[in-house]
Amino acid sequence: MSIKRETIKKISHEIVDQVVEDELLERFKSCYGCGTCSGGCPSGRRTAMRTREIIRQAIVGLTDELLTSDLLWLCSTCYTCYERCPRDVPTTDIIIKLRNIAAHKGFLRGPHIAVCKFLINTGHGVPLDHEKNPNWMNLRKSLKLAPIPPTVHSFPEALKEVQTIIKELKFDELIGYGEEVQKEMAKKDKEMAPKKIQVLEEQLKKLKSEVEKK
Amino acid sequence: MTASAPAKDIVRDYDLYLGCVAPNRYPQIEAATQLVFQKLGITLHDMKGASCCPAPGVFRGFDIPTWLAIAARNITIAEQDKRDAVIMCNGCYGTLLEANHIMKTEPERRKATNDVLAKVNREFRGTVRMRHIIEVLYNDVGVPAVADLCVNPLRGIKAAVHYGCHLLKPSETRPWGKDERPTFFDELVEATGAESVDYKDKYMCCGAGGGVRTAVKEVSLDFTREKLVNIKEAGADIIVDCCPFCHLQFDLGQVEVKQIFQQEFTIPVIYYTQLLGLAMGLSPYELGLLPAADKPAGTSPFISTKPFMDKVLSNMK
């Protein structure tokens, strides 16, 4: 997507204001669009993600376009752009903040929700899962380690603490909310599918008749 | 440092922060790290009740205050133990180092986070350091002392060293300074007698982080595929890393790359303490470099490390 003059007639500072709430991210505004970030980006090398474009969209207030975009989630947070930015814009941290804003609007990805649920239920993003599958526990045993590591897995009261923090900050609600939006989006997709096909078929017909005319 | 100076007045007791991937998917890394530190005369204590760091990609990406509070809770465990923590994973290191930094330098966020921690009777005090094991090995123990302990030098082994991202960046909170091409990890690898081979885009990300592996696996594996191509081209025998998540991405990743891109690689992936332990003369079975008789099927590693062991043994003859 290119950002044309017509597109930015109405500049909104909604996102800028939210990002610079965090004073360390204030240098956001000093981006001059040189593209050093995109130049060194290992994700941009193979996908359509352009860090420069994301920062630009945020500054000119293309809220929905940016926050619903899959591209926002293709950054592997390697911090190459962050290190190289000649304006000291904390690029990676801004992408993380933008993801927070998107998540709070309910734009979460399904697999991310699954990992969050692991954290909420077990205290680990990647749990040992020994009740369902003893293999990993047995692998630990074969290496002469304690079958269950001395983490939250061994201390139920520690897991409670993590869950209390999660409840206190309403992280569980955030994830649940995301799930509802996901379901709604999937439902809408399903409803829209026949319509979309119809539109595509009409376009195809039109094209065919144009080709035949020529 | 003068040659072979014995590690002098260094800290000899740490809490070992485990994280998720090392204890729950690659326990070889945990076992090798414990064994190597024992050899070094440094005791690693259990950090009881620690949780996920939480992962900087997914959880920090969703809600920064939750990420900070859970990380700060983990740090308070080390504070209670009155010990600095050492960390085996670059992602955990990134989270705990930065959370520690934020809590120490930003009074408002510290207060807000401590208000939450009060609900679980904890308080962040800012009394401990969060360190990567590589930092302890390089900055405290030192390369000459590490080399001195390598009684079985791994000569003739070509290693593709992978630093990973969060070990190095953002550089302002890391102990290495701002350097796009550091050499400290290569020096530690070469202390074992192996040769660190140069390869294209050596400092590039493995692709796993930032929630990319979780949500868009094909994209993350394309990073990995590119690195594998470059590593193979350099003629490396093994990949050496210092992060269990990069480790998983390279090891399990080679199986997945074959499925998705029909490109086959069989390059053994070795965590640094496994390599060092072997050079120190520790048992390859205890280090997880050869499978124990009771190793369950379908568990890591997914790329056999036996060809590496064969080469090490034949080079010794």
Side-chain angles (χ1 to χ4, degrees), chain B residues 93-148:
Chain B
Y93 175 64
T95 280
L96 296 176
L97 185 78
E98 273 153 51
N100 208 17
H101 181 74
I102 291 170
M103 293 291 283
K104 282 181 181 179
T105 56
E106 295 181 45
E108 277 178 31
R109 291 171 87 180
R110 175 171 174 158
K111 192 186 171 297
T113 306
N114 266 337
D115 286 347
V116 177
L117 291 179
K119 309 274 177 194
V120 294
N121 299 316
R122 289 185 178 273
E123 188 195 358
F124 176 93
R125 293 169 198 268
T127 54
V128 293
R129 293 178 298 171
M130 296 290 123
R131 310 185 77 195
H132 197 290
I133 59 157
I134 294 297
E135 187 189 341
V136 173
L137 290 171
Y138 189 79
N139 284 351
D140 293 10
V141 179
V143 173
V146 169
D148 266 2

Side-chain angles (χ1 to χ4, degrees), chain B residues 2-285:
Chain B
T2 51
S4 68
K8 359 105 230 185
D9 49 347
I10 61 167
V11 178
R12 295 201 175 270
D13 286 280
Y14 282 95
D15 267 8
L16 175 63
Y17 176 77
L18 291 175
C20 299
V21 178
N24 299 341
R25 292 296 178 272
Y26 285 88
Q28 303 87 351
I29 294 174
E30 182 185 337
T33 303
Q34 282 283 9
L35 291 168
V36 161
F37 274 76
Q38 255 169 41
K39 265 264 195 229
L40 292 167
I42 298 173
T43 310
L44 303 181
H45 301 266
D46 286 350
M47 191 160 161
K48 288 179 184 143
S51 68
C52 177
C53 55
V58 176
F59 305 115
R60 193 180 193 177
F62 278 7
D63 190 59
I64 294 169
T66 304
W67 165 81
L68 184 59
I70 296 179
R73 178 192 166 271
N74 282 325
I75 297 170
T76 63
I77 298 174
E79 289 184 350
Q80 278 179 340
D81 294 342
K82 295 192 173 62
R83 283 190 284 261
D84 293 339
V86 285
I87 300 157
M88 299 178 284
C89 167
N90 288 358
C92 303
Y93 175 64
T95 280
L96 296 176
L97 185 78
E98 273 153 51
N100 208 17
H101 181 74
I102 291 170
M103 293 291 283
K104 282 181 181 179
T105 56
E106 295 181 45
E108 277 178 31
R109 291 171 87 180
R110 175 171 174 158
K111 192 186 171 297
T113 306
N114 266 337
D115 286 347
V116 177
L117 291 179
K119 309 274 177 194
V120 294
N121 299 316
R122 289 185 178 273
E123 188 195 358
F124 176 93
R125 293 169 198 268
T127 54
V128 293
R129 293 178 298 171
M130 296 290 123
R131 310 185 77 195
H132 197 290
I133 59 157
I134 294 297
E135 187 189 341
V136 173
L137 290 171
Y138 189 79
N139 284 351
D140 293 10
V141 179
V143 173
V146 169
D148 266 2
L149 288 166
C150 293
V151 290
N152 286 336
L154 307 172
R155 289 194 221 297
I157 296 293
K158 290 182 172 177
V161 176
H162 173 78
Y163 281 74
C165 301
H166 296 178
L167 176 67
L168 305 171
K169 301 169 277 183
S171 60
E172 66 239 32
T173 44
R174 305 297 188 275
W176 323 108
K178 198 175 171 98
D179 186 351
E180 282 213 356
R181 287 173 176 72
T183 58
F184 61 87
F185 192 19
D186 302 84
E187 292 168 42
L188 281 173
V189 169
E190 296 210 323
T192 68
E195 178 200 352
S196 166
V197 293
D198 203 10
Y199 64 96
K200 193 181 163 200
D201 280 331
K202 173 168 155 179
Y203 297 89
M204 196 182 98
C205 173
C206 71
V212 178
R213 180 180 167 85
T214 311
V216 225
K217 208 187 243 184
E218 293 81 357
V219 172
S220 91
L221 287 170
D222 194 56
F223 281 67
T224 318
R225 185 197 54 77
E226 188 181 337
K227 288 217 69 156
L228 289 167
V229 167
N230 295 338
I231 287 167
K232 195 175 175 183
E233 213 171 71
D237 300 308
I238 52 171
I239 298 169
V240 179
D241 57 46
C242 58
C243 169
F245 201 30
C246 301
H247 193 92
L248 178 149
Q249 183 72 3
F250 281 118
D251 180 49
L252 181 57
Q254 290 184 59
V255 179
E256 296 166 331
V257 160
K258 190 183 166 196
Q259 285 165 356
I260 294 177
F261 303 106
Q262 282 80 50
Q263 243 172 308
E264 190 168 358
F265 299 93
T266 49
I267 311 169
V269 186
I270 319 277
Y271 188 83
Y272 181 66
T273 49
Q274 290 182 291
L275 187 80
L276 179 57
L278 190 67
M280 284 175 163
L282 297 169
S283 150
Y285 293 95

Side-chain angles (χ1 to χ4, degrees), chain A residues 22-24 42-47 73-80 82-84 88 93 96-101 103-104 107-109 111-113 115-117 119 123-129 134-136 138-146 149-153 155 157-162 164-166 168-171 174-175, chain B residues 18-25 27-28 30-31 46-52 54 56-66 69-70 73 98 106 109 116-117 119-120 122 165-166 168-172 178 180 201 204-205 207 209-212 214-216 219 222-223 225-226 285-288 292 294-300 302:
Chain A
D22 190 335
E23 59 185 53
L24 289 176
S43 189
R45 214 183 255 193
R46 67 202 81 246
T47 69
W73 302 90
L74 291 178
C75 166
S76 69
T77 67
C78 76
Y79 282 92
T80 303
Y82 180 106
E83 291 289 315
R84 291 181 181 173
D88 279 342
D93 289 347
I96 291 170
K97 181 77 187 182
L98 291 171
R99 286 177 174 184
N100 270 234
I101 298 171
H104 282 263
F107 301 124
L108 305 171
R109 298 286 171 279
H112 286 155
I113 292 175
V115 177
C116 289
K117 284 196 163 165
L119 180 75
H124 280 294
V126 183
L128 186 63
D129 214 15
N135 275 354
W136 299 108
N138 290 335
L139 178 63
R140 290 184 58 83
K141 271 192 212 164
S142 78
L143 288 154
K144 299 179 190 161
L145 292 167
T151 59
V152 279
H153 280 331
F155 299 93
E157 66 281 9
L159 174 59
K160 274 247 163 62
E161 285 184 21
V162 175
T164 305
I165 292 170
I166 285 171
E168 193 63 30
L169 289 164
K170 300 194 163 79
F171 187 69
L174 175 72
I175 302 311
Chain B
L18 291 175
C20 299
V21 178
N24 299 341
R25 292 296 178 272
Q28 303 87 351
E30 182 185 337
D46 286 350
M47 191 160 161
K48 288 179 184 143
S51 68
C52 177
V58 176
F59 305 115
R60 193 180 193 177
F62 278 7
D63 190 59
I64 294 169
T66 304
I70 296 179
R73 178 192 166 271
E98 273 153 51
E106 295 181 45
R109 291 171 87 180
V116 177
L117 291 179
K119 309 274 177 194
V120 294
R122 289 185 178 273
C165 301
H166 296 178
L168 305 171
K169 301 169 277 183
S171 60
E172 66 239 32
K178 198 175 171 98
E180 282 213 356
D201 280 331
M204 196 182 98
C205 173
V212 178
T214 311
V216 225
V219 172
D222 194 56
F223 281 67
R225 185 197 54 77
E226 188 181 337
Y285 293 95
E286 289 185 4
L287 295 165
D294 55 346
K295 176 186 178 290
T299 54
S300 61
F302 297 97

Side-chain angles (χ1 to χ4, degrees), chain B residues 294-314:
Chain B
D294 55 346
K295 176 186 178 290
T299 54
S300 61
F302 297 97
I303 299 296
S304 171
T305 47
K306 194 168 175 295
F308 159 67
M309 283 307 304
D310 290 345
K311 188 156 184 183
V312 169
L313 291 175
S314 77

